C-alpha cells in the first residue's frame, strides 16, 4: 500500500486552516450585523417593545400584564388576590387623621383637637371608600375654578353662612364660586390687584404663596392666572367641606391648622404668606404663630394680614369689637414683627403688608442685642409632629437674591444645592436628575396620551425627590403636590420650593391630610421599596384608593418584584392594571405599572358598580 506523500499532508492542513479562518470571519460578520440592530429578530423585538409602550389609558382598555415575573412560583391559593369590600355609605367623606368624632376627644386649647389624630392600627378601615351617588368627573380647568358638581360635595351650609360674602352659590345641579371672600366680597381679582400695588406679583419674583385659613381657596384660585401657586390650608371644622371644595375646583389645598405643631413645610419656602380673617390669634402665645410664618417665609418674602385688627381706628365699629382690644392686638403684632425684622410696606383700608428683611446677618445682630430667643434645632426642616416653640429660626448664609424669577427658577440651580446644603446632591447630579425625568415623562406621555390634555388637573407625586417629575410635566393645565416622605434619605422639599413648585412632608404609614377623591393622577416612584418593612403596603394602597378620583390613574415605577406584589393587592381593589417595560428596554429590572381606578358609587346603604 502506497504511503501518502508529505505534499498531500500539507495540502489537507492548508485546506483546514482556510476553513477555520473562513468560519471565524463568517461568525464575526454575522455578530456585527446582529449588533447593528438590522437583524430581523431585533426589528421584531423593537416593534413588540414599541407596541407595548405606546398604549393609551382609557376606561375601556384591558390591562393585561405581559410580565409574569415570580407569579409562576406561587401556589394557586396564594395567587388569588384579596378582595376589598366597599366601606359603609357613612364613610363617603372619611378623613382618617381628621375624623370629627375622634377630634372631639382632644383638648380645644390652641386648636389641638383640629390637628392630626390618626387611628390606631386596630381602628383602621380595610375597605374601599365609596364615591357619593351621582358623582361625576370634575369640570376641566379653568371652568372648575367657578363650578363644582353638587353631587361631588353635596353640602349647602356655606351657601347660607357665607351668602353675603360671595363665597359660594347653589345653582341647579352645580355650585358656583363667584370669587368672593370674607375680605373681598367684590371678588378675589380686585383684591389681588390691591396687593399687587405693593407686592411684585407680576414679574415672577413671587411664585409660591401660603394661604392660612383659606376658606374655599378663591385667593389661590385667582392667583393661578398670575403664575403664582398657593398652598392653601384650613381645618376640617364647622365650615363643612371648605378644603374639599377647593380641591374640587382644582386648587392646591390640604386640611391643616396652625395650632401647636409645626407646619409640614420647609424653612424659607414661600415668597408670600396670607391671612384673610383666618381667625389665628397672631399676637398670642408669645408670637409663636408669627414666628412659624417667619420660619417658612423666604428672606425678602411678604406677609399679608387682612381684617381685624388692621386699621382698627377706622373699622372697630363695623367689626363690633372694643377699640381697646383691637389696639392691644395690633400693638402685639407690630412688636413681634419688629423682633422678626419685618418691615411694614403698606397699611390701607383693612390690609397690611410686611416684608421680611433680606439682610439676615444684620437682622441677627439686632435680635441678639434685643435678647431674642433663637431656636436651638440644627435642622430647621425637621418639622413632622414637632412642637412649635416661641423662638426665632435663624436663616443660614444663603443669598435669597440668587433665586431667579419664575419660570427661570424651575431649572436654575437651587440655592440650597449651589450652597451644598443637600448632602450628596451637586449641581451635576441635579441636572442629571432633570434629564432623567424628562425622559421618563416623555415615556409616560406615550403610555398615557391624556397627560397633556388637561384631563388630569390635581396630580400627586408621592416620593418627589428633587421635584424633577413635576418640573418635566409642568403646565398651566395642572399642578403637582410634591410629597417628600419623612422616611426619605434626603430632605429635598426646600429644593422643590426653590424651583417654584409646592409640596409637603408626609409619612405614608399614615393617611394624607385630604378628603377622598381629590387627585386625578398619582405618581409613585420607588415608594414601595422605600417603605418596605416600615408599614403595610396594603394600607398605603388603600389610602391611594381613598384619595384617587374614580377613573383616575396611577403610575408606579419600581423594581419588578415589588410591582408584582403591588399588582396582586390592587387586583382586589377594582383597579385595572398593565405592566410596561422601562423605556430603556425589557432587560432593565425597573418597570412601570399603570393603573386606572374603576368608576363605582355608593347606593343607599350598599354600593353598586357601573
Amino acid at each position: 500500500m502506497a504511503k501518502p506523500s508529505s505534499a498531500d499532508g500539507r495540502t489537507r492542513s492548508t485546506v483546514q486552516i482556510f476553513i477555520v479562518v473562513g468560519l471565524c470571519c463568517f461568525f464575526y460578520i454575522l455578530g456585527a450585523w446582529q449588533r447593528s440592530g438590522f437583524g430581523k429578530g431585533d426589528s421584531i423585538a423593537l416593534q413588540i417593545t414599541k407596541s407595548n409602550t405606546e398604549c393609551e389609558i382609557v376606561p375601556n382598555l384591558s390591562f393585561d400584564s405581559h410580565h409574569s415575573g415570580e407569579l409562576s412560583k406561587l401556589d394557586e391559593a396564594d395567587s388569588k388576590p384579596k378582595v376589598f369590600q366597599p366601606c359603609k355609605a357613612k364613610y363617603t367623606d372619611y378623613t382618617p387623621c381628621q375624623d370629627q368624632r375622634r377630634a372631639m376627644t382632644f383638648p380645644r386649647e390652641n386648636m389641638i383637637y383640629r390637628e392630626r389624630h390618626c387611628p390606631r392600627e386596630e381602628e383602621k378601615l380595610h375597605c374601599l371608600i365609596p364615591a357619593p351617588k351621582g358623582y361625576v368627573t370634575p369640570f376641566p380647568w379653568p371652568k372648575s375654578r367657578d363650578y363644582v358638581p353638587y353631587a361631588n360635595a353635596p353640602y349647602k351650609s356655606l351657601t347660607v353662612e357665607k351668602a353675603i360674602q360671595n363665597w359660594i352659590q347653589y345653582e341647579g345641579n352645580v355650585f358656583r364660586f363667584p370669587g368672593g371672600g370674607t375680605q373681598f366680597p367684590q371678588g378675589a381679582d380686585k383684591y389681588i390687584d390691591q396687593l399687587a400695588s405693593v407686592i411684585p406679583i407680576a414679574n415672577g419674583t413671587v411664585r409660591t404663596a401660603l394661604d392660612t385659613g383659606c376658606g374655599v381657596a378663591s385667593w389661590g384660585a385667582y392667583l393661578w392666572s398670575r403664575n403664582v401657586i398657593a398652598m392653601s390650608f384650613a381645618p376640617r371644622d364647622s365650615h363643612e367641606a371648605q378644603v374639599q371644595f377647593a380641591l374640587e375646583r382644582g386648587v392646591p389645598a390640604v386640611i391643616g391648622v396652625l395650632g401647636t405643631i409645626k407646619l409640614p413645610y420647609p424653612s424659607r419656602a414661600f415668597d408670600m404668606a396670607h391671612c384673610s380673617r383666618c381667625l389665628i390669634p397672631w399676637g398670642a402665645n408669645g408670637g409663636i404663630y408669627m414666628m412659624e410664618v417667619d420660619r417658612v417665609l423666604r428672606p425678602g418674602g411678604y406677609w399679608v394680614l387682612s381684617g381685624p385688627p388692621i386699621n382698627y381706628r377706622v373699622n372697630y365699629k363695623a367689626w363690633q369689637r372694643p377699640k381697646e382690644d383691637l389696639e392691644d392686638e395690633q400693638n402685639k403684632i407690630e412688636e413681634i414683627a419688629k423682633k422678626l425684622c419685618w418691615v411694614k410696606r403698606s397699611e390701607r383700608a383693612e390690609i397690611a403688608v410686611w416684608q421680611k428683611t433680606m439682610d439676615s446677618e444684620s437682622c441677627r445682630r439686632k435680635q441678639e442685642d434685643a435678647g431674642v430667643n433663637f431656636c436651638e434645632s440644627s435642622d430647621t426642616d425637621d418639622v413632622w409632629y414637632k412642637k412649635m416653640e416661641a423662638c426665632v429660626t435663624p436663616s443660614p448664609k444663603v443669598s435669597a437674591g440668587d433665586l431667579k424669577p419664575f419660570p427661570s427658577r424651575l431649572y436654575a440651580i437651587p440655592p440650597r444645592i449651589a450652597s451644598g446644603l443637600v448632602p450628596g446632591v451637586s449641581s451635576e447630579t441635579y441636572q442629571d436628575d432633570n434629564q432623567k425625568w424628562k425622559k421618563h415623562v416623555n415615556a409616560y406621555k406615550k403610555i398615557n396620551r391624556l397627560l397633556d390634555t388637561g384631563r388630569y388637573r390635581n396630580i400627586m407625586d408621592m416620593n418627589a425627590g428633587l421635584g424633577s417629575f413635576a418640573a418635566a410635566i409642568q403646565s398651566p393645565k395642572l399642578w403637582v403636590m410634591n410629597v417628600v416622605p419623612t422616611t426619605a434619605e434626603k430632605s429635598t422639599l426646600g429644593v422643590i420650593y426653590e424651583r417654584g413648585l409646592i409640596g409637603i412632608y408626609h409619612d405614608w404609614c399614615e393617611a394624607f391630610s385630604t378628603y377622598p377623591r381629590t387627585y386625578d393622577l398619582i405618581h409613585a416612584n420607588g415608594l414601595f421599596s422605600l417603605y418596605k418593612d416600615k408599614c403595610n403596603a396594603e394600607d398605603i394602597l388603600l389610602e391611594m384608593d381613598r384619595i384617587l378620583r374614580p377613573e383616575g390613574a396611577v403610575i408606579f415605577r419600581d423594581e419588578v418584584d415589588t410591582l408584582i406584589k403591588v399588582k396582586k393587592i390592587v387586583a382586589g381593589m377594582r383597579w385595572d392594571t398593565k405592566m410596561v417595560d422601562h423605556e430603556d428596554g425589557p432587560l432593565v429590572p425597573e418597570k412601570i405599572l399603570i393603573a386606572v381606578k374603576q368608576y363605582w358609587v355608593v347606593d343607599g346603604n350598599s354600593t353598586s358598580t357601573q
Side-chain angles (χ1 to χ4, degrees), residues 141 145 192 216-225 230 232 249 251:
W141 184 268
R145 185 194 71 179
I192 294 169
V216 295
S218 287
W219 187 69
Y222 281 82
L223 278 172
W224 185 265
S225 63
S232 302
R249 298 175 72 186
V251 183

Side-chain angles (χ1 to χ4, degrees), residues 268 298 403 409 414-417 494-500:
R268 311 182 312 282
R298 189 167 292 132
L403 197 62
R409 72 170 72 165
R416 276 174 167 86
I417 291 177
V495 169
I496 289 169
Y497 273 93
E498 287 179 343
R499 303 187 70 167

Side-chain angles (χ1 to χ4, degrees), residues 528-539:
F528 290 88
S529 290
L530 177 65
Y531 275 91
K532 184 180 180 182
D533 302 325
K534 292 184 176 69
C535 52
N536 194 337
E538 182 180 294
D539 289 342

Side-chain angles (χ1 to χ4, degrees), residues 323-337:
K323 184 178 180 180
E324 295 75 17
D325 290 354
L326 291 164
E327 181 180 17
D328 181 60
E329 191 177 327
Q330 179 147 355
N331 286 342
K332 286 180 180 178
I333 291 172
E334 301 281 5
E335 182 181 333
I336 298 162

Side-chain angles (χ1 to χ4, degrees), residues 114-134:
R114 294 299 184 195
E115 294 177 333
R116 286 176 57 85
H117 303 291
C118 299
R120 297 187 300 271
E121 191 64 35
E122 64 272 17
E123 295 176 320
K124 289 181 179 179
L125 297 181
H126 294 280
C127 52
L128 305 176
I129 302 296
K133 189 174 182 179

